[in-house]
Structure formats: C-alpha cells, structure tokens
Amino acid sequence: MAQFRERRFASTFMATAAMLTVAGLLTGCNETHSASTPAEGEVRPVRVATVALEPLVDSVRYPAVIRPRVEADVGFRVGGKVTARLVEVGTRIEPGMPLARLDPTDLHLQIRAAQAQLASAQADAANARSDFQRYASLRNGEWTTRQEYDRRKTTLDKADSKVREVEAQLRVLNNSAQYATLVADEAGIVTATLVEPGQVVASGQTALRIARLGALEAVANIPEQQVGALPRQKLAVELWSHPGQSIAGSLREVSPSADASTRTFQAKIALADPPPTVQLGMTATVTAAADHGAPVARLPLSALTQREQKPAVWVLAAPDDRLELRPVTVAAYAGDLALIGGGLKDGERVVTAGVHKLDSGQKVRVWTEPAR
C-alpha cells in the first residue's frame, strides 16, 4: 500500500512539472512575439528621391568612322610605263602639283609622226589648190568642161579636210604627252597609292586615291528598324579620342538598300564646323536623339510597386511626411531606371527602397547616411 502511494505521488509530480514547463514555453513565445511587433505610431526610416521633371530624350548610339565627303580614284588618261611616283600616303597636295609620271618616249614619237603627216597633207592641199586655180581660169574662158572643174574642186576639198584631220590628231597627241604627268586638280590628301615605278598601266587605271580637303562626314551603319526615324532625330558626333567633345551633324545621305551581309543601311552624317583635331579614319560615335517633348521623372526601379495591378509609388505627403500610394504612368525603362511620364509633380519626394513593407498613411522619416 505504501509503494502504491509513492508511485501515485511521483506520477502527480511529473504531470505538474510538465504543465509548468509548457506554460513557461507559451509565456516565452508570447513575450517574443510582443517584442517583434512594432509599436503603434512607430516612425520608419526610408530612402527618398526628389522628383525632377525633364524632357524625355530617346537617344541611340552607333559606331562610325570619319571619312571625307569626296574621295576620288585618279589615274592617267593614257597608258604607259610609270617612271616616277612623286607622292606618298598622307601627302597633302595642292592644285597643279605633279603626282606621278609616265615614260613619254612613245608619245613624242607619235607626235613627230603626226607632224610629218601634217606636212604631207599641207603639201597635197597646196598642190590641189594650185591645180584648182588653173582650172578655174580655164573654166572662165570656156577652155575646159564643167565636169573637170568640179573634179578639181572636190580634190581640193578633200586635201583641206585631210589637213584638218591631221591637225586634230596632232592636238590629241600633244594633250596625251601632257597627260603623261598626273597632276592634282584640287587640294587634298593622298589616302592610297596603287602604282609603283616600273609598272605598266592602262588608260584610266587607278593610280592614287585622293580625299579632298574640306567637308568631313561620319559614316555609320544603321539597323533597318531604326533607319526610318533617323531623318527626324538630332545628330551629334563624338570622337573616341576626344570623349565629351560633341560635334553637331546633319544627315546627308542614307543608302537606298541594305548591305547584303549585315542588313544595315549606311548613313553619312556631315560634320558642321569640325575642329582641327578631326582626322580621316578616326573612330567616332554617332548619337541620334529624339525629343518626345513630354517631361518625365527618372526613378530607380526599386521605387515601383503596384496598386490594383498598375504601377504606383509611395509619395511623402506634406506636412507630416505620411505615405501616400499614388498610381503613375511608366513611359519607358532605361537600364535600372524607370521613366515616369505621369502622376508626379516636380519637387515631390518618393520612397526608393523597401516599398513593399510600407502601409498607406504610415508616418516615416527620411533616412540620412551617418557621417563617417
């Protein structure tokens, strides 16, 4: 009987201890929950950005190369053997400056042959004129027939025509002798040399490539989905060697067909008043900007939340800095920024971090970085 009482007491003691342990745990949980719940009226710190409305400018950048507006392939107007090339790549040339020469020996021989033919034709013409004058006197005295008179007149006309023909050939040969020296027509820069001394060239074969001084342009390849908007955009050119120095440009020409391999259209942008530092062949960037007129506010993407499945932002309402969830219109996205096209006013403050943990009407304070 005594053992039964001891076992009953032990069971009662253990049950009581277990109940006390559970109660202690529940009490601890309640205390922890109470400690983690923010007190009513707590002011939450937030990061904010001030709205600054500015015109929406949509810009696209294209790589480009500086080229002359006029670059011509020049060559000799006659064929022959090149005896001298008087310029190199990069040489600045002036009008009338000799660039290259051909061997003129054959041309001079052709001139002497034409001069001999001219002398012979002139002698034949003089003989035909004397013969015609004699028959003209005989015709006046009725000592010859009309038929013979006409035949002598025809012979004289043919002799005079032969003289004029040989004279024209001689002038052509004299010009050809001058063409044996390739002379610059305008000021420019030699960009390529395609002949060497000792080389035999044909008439019209390219000998030099010359870029005329003056007008420069940037040549860029434009994708087909953007080429249509190019004439309406504001163009500027920036050299890679001079970052930050923008040169105004205007669209001069767009290729009427796309390149077969790249499927892009070549555009030529004329440079307005380029500085002396711009050199041919420099790499540049063409910026095509379109001003849409409507002002936008640039905010980080972290400032956006939703209201009824539409974009919204938290605005700090004056004067007590309480939160107001305001719907906005997103005009575009640019990297990590959202361009807000409607719903905000210039100078308003918008929360930019932790927007999904805020409530309407909640009072907040602007977070400031601690001094280091």
Side-chain angles (χ1 to χ4, degrees):
M1 189 65 174
Q3 294 178 353
F4 174 75
R5 290 176 179 174
E6 291 177 358
R7 287 196 298 272
R8 184 177 180 182
F9 176 77
S11 298
T12 303
F13 178 78
M14 293 177 63
T16 304
M19 292 176 65
L20 292 175
T21 302
V22 171
L25 291 174
L26 291 176
T27 303
C29 290
N30 290 336
E31 291 177 354
T32 303
H33 179 72
S34 300
S36 62
T37 302
E40 184 178 357
E42 179 185 359
V43 178
R44 182 184 293 273
V46 292
R47 295 181 183 272
V48 300
T50 303
V51 175
L53 297 179
E54 56 186 26
L56 174 58
V57 178
D58 185 15
S59 62
V60 186
R61 297 165 66 87
Y62 309 102
V65 178
I66 302 299
R67 296 293 185 198
R69 181 170 181 175
V70 178
E71 187 174 22
D73 293 339
V74 298
F76 293 98
R77 298 172 67 173
V78 294
K81 181 179 179 180
V82 179
T83 58
R85 195 191 70 224
L86 307 177
V87 293
E88 301 291 342
V89 174
T91 303
R92 287 182 173 266
I93 61 176
E94 299 295 335
M97 177 178 176
L99 307 177
R101 291 193 178 95
L102 296 178
D103 184 359
T105 302
D106 292 342
L107 296 174
H108 289 163
L109 290 176
Q110 293 176 11
I111 291 174
R112 285 198 290 270
Q115 289 172 343
Q117 291 178 5
L118 178 61
S120 176
Q122 289 173 341
D124 291 341
N127 187 32
R129 183 171 292 103
S130 298
D131 196 17
F132 171 74
Q133 290 174 354
R134 285 194 299 270
Y135 272 86
S137 299
L138 294 174
R139 177 60 183 163
N140 292 334
E142 298 293 337
W143 293 102
T144 186
T145 63
R146 180 70 183 183
Q147 181 180 6
E148 187 65 22
Y149 173 84
D150 292 341
R151 190 173 65 85
R152 300 296 176 174
K153 180 68 169 62
T154 301
T155 302
L156 176 60
D157 292 342
K158 291 174 65 176
D160 289 339
S161 297
K162 184 63 177 179
V163 171
R164 290 193 295 270
E165 178 185 356
V166 177
E167 287 176 344
Q169 292 177 353
L170 183 58
R171 285 195 295 269
V172 171
L173 291 173
N174 285 327
N175 290 338
S176 297
Q178 296 178 0
Y179 297 153
T181 300
L182 184 59
V183 178
D185 294 331
E186 296 186 15
I189 299 177
V190 178
T191 58
T193 57
L194 304 176
V195 296
E196 297 294 338
Q199 182 178 348
V200 177
V201 297
S203 174
Q205 179 179 339
T206 301
L208 303 169
R209 185 169 295 122
I210 297 177
R212 292 185 182 177
L213 294 179
L216 298 176
E217 58 190 17
V219 180
N221 295 322
I222 310 301
E224 58 185 29
Q225 69 271 22
Q226 298 172 352
V227 69
L230 200 62
R232 302 186 300 272
Q233 294 176 320
K234 183 179 180 181
L235 303 177
V237 178
E238 180 180 331
L239 299 177
W240 288 15
S241 58
H242 298 81
Q245 183 179 4
S246 181
I247 306 171
S250 59
L251 182 63
R252 187 180 71 83
E253 178 185 303
V254 177
S255 174
S257 60
D259 183 86
S261 57
T262 63
R263 306 309 305 167
T264 57
F265 292 80
Q266 187 181 81
K268 297 180 180 179
I269 294 90
L271 304 184
D273 194 20
T277 55
V278 181
Q279 301 294 328
L280 298 179
M282 280 187 167
T283 307
T285 299
V286 174
T287 303
D291 189 354
H292 297 284
V296 296
R298 300 177 182 270
L299 296 177
L301 294 177
S302 58
L304 290 181
T305 183
Q306 287 187 346
R307 177 179 178 181
E308 297 178 355
Q309 304 301 318
K310 295 182 179 180
V313 296
W314 289 106
V315 179
L316 272 68
D320 54 356
D321 288 345
R322 290 192 177 273
L323 293 177
E324 173 190 344
L325 185 60
R326 185 175 308 169
V328 294
T329 302
V330 179
Y333 295 96
D336 58 350
L337 296 177
L339 307 183
I340 309 302
L344 295 176
K345 298 179 181 179
D346 198 25
E348 288 186 318
R349 293 178 297 169
V350 176
V351 179
T352 60
V355 295
H356 301 291
K357 298 181 179 180
L358 302 177
D359 295 321
S360 182
Q362 182 178 356
K363 191 173 182 180
V364 296
R365 64 179 177 86
V366 177
W367 169 264
T368 55
E369 294 289 344
R372 295 182 179 181

